[in-house]
Amino acid sequence: FGLLAAIQATLAAAVAFGLLGLETGGPAWGVVLLAVLNAVLGMAMGLLLSAFASTEFQAVQFLPAFLLPQFLLCGLLGPRERMLPALEAISNAMPMTYAYDALTRVARGDSLNSGLGFDVAVLAAVTLLALSLGAATLRRTSG
C-alpha cells in the first residue's frame, strides 16, 4: 500500500508541475517528497483506523470522523493563531497540521531551520507510530 501511495503522490506532483505548470518558491522535489510522505502517512492512518473496525462499513465511517476535525483545524481554512486557544492546542496534536505547515514552508522556499525539519520529523514519527500500532492490533492466526 505504501508503494502505491508513493506512486500516486509522485504522479500527482508530476501532473501539477509538468502539465499544469505549478510553481513554488521552494524546490519541486521538496513538494514531491512531502507529497510522498503525506501519502504514506495517510495510508498508515487508514490502516490503523481499519484495524479497529469490525466491518468495512465501520472503517468507512471512521475516516470522515478522523479527517474532518483535522481539515478544519490544520490552518488551511484560517490561520491557527486566530483560533481559540483550546482549538489551537488540539490542532497542535493533529498530523495534518504538520503536513500543511511543511508544505507551506516548502512553497514559500523556507529552509530546514525554519521549522520544516521539525514538521517532517513529526510526520515521520506519526507514520511509524501508526504503522506500529496497526501492526500490533492485527489479529494473528496460526495455520
Side-chain angles (χ1 to χ4, degrees), residues 5-142:
I7 291 170
Q8 182 180 14
T10 304
L11 287 174
V15 168
F17 285 107
L19 295 177
L20 301 177
L22 177 68
E23 295 179 11
T24 63
W29 59 265
V31 174
V32 172
L33 286 178
L34 282 172
V36 169
L37 178 59
N38 290 330
V40 173
L41 170 64
M43 178 270 318
M45 298 303 277
L47 289 175
L48 176 62
L49 288 175
S50 69
F52 293 104
S54 301
T55 65
E56 290 86 5
F57 182 69
Q58 195 176 38
V60 170
Q61 289 176 323
F62 282 163
L63 289 176
F66 181 74
L67 287 176
L68 186 61
Q70 292 195 61
F71 175 73
L72 294 173
L73 297 176
C74 74
L76 182 64
L77 300 178
R80 290 185 310 121
E81 299 80 30
R82 294 182 50 201
M83 292 180 187
L84 293 172
L87 293 178
E88 187 176 358
I90 292 169
S91 75
N92 288 334
M94 296 183 168
M96 192 179 277
T97 298
Y98 298 95
Y100 174 73
D101 286 350
L103 282 170
T104 300
R105 287 180 163 108
V106 168
R108 283 193 313 235
D110 292 353
S111 63
L112 275 177
N113 61 2
S114 67
L116 178 60
F118 178 76
D119 291 335
V120 170
V122 168
L123 292 172
V126 170
T127 301
L128 291 174
L129 179 66
L131 287 173
S132 300
L133 289 174
T137 60
L138 288 175
R139 294 173 188 87
R140 289 167 176 57
T141 59
S142 58

